[in-house]
Amino acid sequence: MRRESMSNKHLLDFVRESGGTEMVLGLFDQALGDFTLPAGDTLSRANFIRRLLVERGFEYDDTVFCADKLLSLKRGNCLGYALLFGAMLLDCGDEVSFQVITHPKDAIHGQDQKLFGKLFRGEHFNYDNPKLPKIKDAPPNRAYRFFPLEHPSLFVGGKHFEVTSLEDLDEDPSWIPNAERVIEISFCELLSFVKIDRAQCLLEQEGDNLQEARDLVANGLKLWDLNREGWLSLWRIAFDLKDCELQRFAFSRYQAIGGDDSRFFQGMYEMTLDECYLKLSLERFPENILPFVSRYVELEKDAREAKFNLAVAAWCIVNSSCFDLERFYVIHEGLIRKLYGDKVWKTLFR
């Protein structure tokens, strides 16, 4: 099947939910050029697309998920590539679904465990004199997580197909690690994450963006009413807007969808401040830094213990691709000044 004989329906859906127009299809043609998808089963077509993207210079970038930027920069994350692969296959008439994997127990998870263990055992600094990292200590390539990510991927022919394995074509894309939670969803349901992630990007910008972010999340939830983390996002926005009715509704939906994974219990603690949820979250993922900070720093009564645990958390965060150390310090300024003093606080940003 040649490119010009493909339907553009799903690709256009991806473009529009990314905030773009039909003009973005021109970027698709520029980025991928003319190609012919081979005859055969869906899995062979998925492998062809993988090779095609590598040949055209596409790379992984954990910040890019919208269609226009992915195609113009030739860079994307798991969400962007899952939707691009999926749109191309669906527009050829193939049957495709998607998996969302919460907290994959992969090699990075193993690295998280090792570094956290060394820090917690005091192998990197003395218990009575713990050192906080400075902003400039962040490595250029942060390979750790310390957070239960949601990872979207393809599901074709009854098999997982990893869309981000673009560096080594000999790597088996069907391999899937154990995870806390794996669910199968549709293309439309996966599109809901684009709206919700766009809202999160908006909230990270300067200015009063709460109303617009609320509308983006609400529209994302119209695409998939069971997007659990979308309801948590809506709850957070409602909290900032002081919209108590919306908070109650978002909480009820989040709780009703439920789960037995660390991320669910982390969200439940945020919304209820019931400490039993911290315990449950950390039982499932001890290296999950946000509940670790809540339980072992913010709620810790022993100042020496809290000070040490804060250093453990900060060194995890400075090495994590999921967090921003400067933002973490700003949020916890009062706690840092209390435990470390004003003098140390002033040195952290130099």
Side-chain angles (χ1 to χ4, degrees):
M1 177 178 288
R2 292 187 63 80
R3 155 68 183 125
E4 57 266 24
S5 63
M6 291 171 55
S7 158
N8 287 327
K9 178 185 181 304
H10 294 87
L11 187 58
L12 270 173
D13 286 343
F14 178 26
V15 168
R16 287 167 179 155
E17 299 304 338
S18 298
T21 67
E22 194 169 343
M23 298 290 290
V24 174
L25 292 182
L27 294 175
F28 180 89
D29 294 328
Q30 291 174 26
L32 293 175
D34 191 25
F35 60 87
T36 302
L37 279 171
D41 59 22
T42 304
L43 189 58
S44 65
R45 291 178 190 260
N47 274 305
F48 173 85
I49 292 171
R50 182 179 174 223
R51 290 192 299 272
L52 178 67
L53 292 176
V54 172
E55 290 170 1
R56 299 295 192 268
F58 281 77
E59 298 177 346
Y60 179 78
D61 185 319
D62 63 5
T63 66
V64 179
F65 59 90
C66 286
D68 52 347
K69 288 187 177 181
L70 190 156
L71 294 168
S72 60
L73 299 174
K74 294 188 177 182
R75 304 176 70 85
N77 65 8
C78 52
L79 175 59
Y81 279 127
L83 287 166
L84 180 61
F85 271 77
M88 292 174 69
L89 291 168
L90 287 165
D91 285 342
C92 287
D94 288 294
E95 292 187 8
V96 179
S97 61
F98 303 83
Q99 289 178 324
V100 177
I101 304 163
T102 301
H103 184 207
K105 307 289 184 69
D106 55 9
I108 296 177
H109 169 71
Q111 293 174 353
D112 286 354
Q113 289 179 311
K114 289 180 182 178
L115 178 57
F116 182 87
K118 289 180 179 180
L119 289 164
F120 198 67
R121 290 191 298 270
E123 296 181 21
H124 284 262
F125 42 75
N126 187 281
Y127 178 83
D128 291 312
N129 189 29
K131 303 289 186 182
L132 292 176
K134 297 181 179 180
I135 304 302
K136 66 180 181 181
D137 291 327
N141 298 309
R142 294 176 288 170
Y144 298 84
R145 286 195 294 253
F146 301 106
F147 183 76
L149 280 182
E150 287 187 314
H151 178 76
S153 194
L154 278 185
F155 193 61
V156 294
K159 290 185 177 181
H160 169 84
F161 189 92
E162 181 51 54
V163 294
T164 60
S165 57
L166 300 177
E167 294 182 358
D168 183 4
L169 286 175
D170 292 326
E171 183 181 343
D172 181 7
S174 66
W175 180 81
I176 179 173
N178 291 326
E180 286 195 63
R181 182 176 186 245
V182 180
I183 56 175
E184 187 176 342
I185 63 174
S186 68
F187 183 80
C188 180
E189 290 167 342
L190 186 60
L191 280 174
S192 70
F193 286 91
V194 175
K195 291 283 195 182
I196 292 160
D197 286 2
R198 284 176 60 198
Q200 182 57 43
C201 292
L202 195 63
L203 291 172
E204 292 171 359
Q205 300 173 11
E206 293 185 4
D208 183 6
N209 302 314
L210 285 171
Q211 301 283 354
E212 187 178 352
R214 181 200 60 190
D215 294 342
L216 278 170
V217 173
N219 286 330
L221 289 166
K222 289 178 182 177
L223 294 171
W224 185 33
D225 184 60
L226 295 179
N227 189 324
R228 191 183 71 188
E229 299 308 307
W231 289 110
L232 179 58
S233 296
L234 190 61
W235 182 91
R236 288 170 176 156
I237 293 169
F239 179 87
D240 290 337
L241 288 171
K242 298 181 173 56
D243 187 336
C244 296
E245 183 178 351
L246 184 57
Q247 273 185 265
R248 285 191 293 269
F249 182 66
F251 170 75
S252 69
R253 294 296 298 125
Y254 184 89
Q255 186 180 38
I257 294 168
D260 192 38
D261 55 287
S262 61
R263 186 160 178 151
F264 171 69
F265 292 124
Q266 179 181 329
M268 286 297 292
Y269 172 72
E270 182 179 342
M271 290 187 281
T272 66
L273 298 182
D274 186 336
E275 293 176 30
C276 75
Y277 293 119
L278 285 181
K279 180 180 178 182
L280 289 168
S281 182
L282 289 167
E283 282 177 355
R284 285 151 180 76
F285 187 9
E287 301 82 23
N288 189 357
I289 283 303
L290 293 183
F292 174 83
V293 169
S294 296
R295 189 175 188 196
Y296 295 113
V297 181
E298 295 170 352
L299 297 174
E300 177 58 57
K301 296 179 181 178
D302 185 322
R304 290 173 67 227
E305 185 71 11
K307 184 177 181 179
F308 176 80
N309 291 336
L310 180 58
V312 171
W315 280 104
C316 289
I317 286 171
V318 78
N319 285 287
S320 170
S321 62
C322 300
F323 296 102
D324 180 87
L325 182 64
E326 183 173 356
R327 177 177 171 79
F328 176 78
Y329 279 164
V330 170
I331 291 171
H332 295 90
E333 177 181 354
L335 194 56
I336 295 170
R337 288 182 184 271
K338 177 182 176 182
L339 295 173
Y340 280 85
D342 293 342
K343 185 177 180 180
V344 170
W345 167 258
K346 294 175 182 178
T347 67
L348 297 177
F349 298 87
R350 295 176 184 170

